[in-house]
Amino acid sequence: MENISKLNAAIYRNAQSIINSKLIDLNIRSGQHDFLYVISKNEGISQKELSEFLYVGKSTTAKAVKNLVENDYVKRIQDENDKRIYRLYLTDAGKKVIPKIDATFLELVAIFSKSLSKKEEEQTVIILKRILHTISEEKHKINSDID
């Protein structure tokens, strides 16, 4: 039987395959393109804010940022007012690859919506936002119980 979870997982895997094949020369692990993309649109973002933006855990963000720093796409700069916080910025190498990432993500959005009418696309976005909100609340409850 088809269900939302199974379809979502299949869409994610296929989308990652497309992204990975188009960005294979960037030496970035699967899924880390999202982190680099968000940093490029929000330079100076903290790792905590990045985690919240992408709905991922702090350890996932830490690993992704570590890899992006090691590959010289991102630099971490300590916040002047709060020494516990590091702000994330693109390096020159990071700035050079962003146009290719932007183009790949735009192409993927076009692929996603290719067979949808404008109304279907808008409805899908509304429904997906509702699902994300619900599952994010549930994840937050579970994480609160652990603490």
Side-chain angles (χ1 to χ4, degrees):
M1 181 182 135
E2 298 286 311
N3 65 51
I4 292 172
S5 182
K6 179 181 174 186
L7 293 170
N8 181 59
I11 290 167
Y12 177 79
R13 283 192 307 275
N14 282 277
Q16 286 303 307
S17 292
I18 292 168
I19 291 169
N20 291 338
S21 69
K22 293 190 173 290
L23 301 176
I24 196 164
D25 57 320
L26 298 189
N27 195 29
I28 301 174
R29 294 188 188 125
S30 179
Q32 294 183 349
H33 309 98
D34 294 349
F35 291 88
L36 188 55
Y37 178 81
V38 171
I39 294 167
S40 78
K41 303 301 180 211
N42 302 279
E43 287 209 66
I45 193 169
S46 71
Q47 284 189 204
K48 181 177 187 257
E49 293 165 336
L50 184 58
S51 294
E52 291 167 357
F53 192 95
L54 289 170
Y55 296 90
V56 297
K58 292 177 194 168
S59 64
T60 301
T61 300
K63 287 179 208 166
V65 168
K66 182 177 186 270
N67 184 264
L68 294 172
V69 169
E70 286 172 356
N71 283 292
D72 195 36
Y73 291 122
V74 171
K75 58 187 170 194
R76 297 170 74 232
I77 298 176
Q78 197 170 35
D79 188 288
E80 290 180 16
N81 300 321
D82 187 341
K83 301 296 183 195
R84 298 169 297 173
I85 297 173
Y86 284 85
R87 301 279 171 195
L88 305 172
Y89 298 90
L90 295 180
T91 62
D92 288 340
K95 289 176 184 169
K96 284 181 189 161
V97 300
I98 288 303
K100 189 170 184 176
I101 292 173
D102 282 343
T104 300
F105 283 7
L106 282 173
E107 185 179 347
L108 198 59
V109 169
I111 291 167
F112 281 161
S113 57
K114 189 190 303 189
S115 65
L116 301 176
S117 70
K118 194 70 182 155
K119 184 173 175 79
E120 288 171 326
E121 185 179 348
E122 289 168 1
Q123 289 171 332
T124 301
V125 168
I126 289 167
I127 292 166
L128 289 172
K129 280 183 174 179
R130 197 176 323 150
I131 292 169
L132 176 59
H133 177 75
T134 303
I135 201 156
S136 179
E137 279 186 338
E138 198 62 33
K139 180 182 167 192
H140 183 71
K141 280 185 209 169
I142 290 167
N143 289 342
S144 296
D145 292 344
I146 294 170
D147 294 339

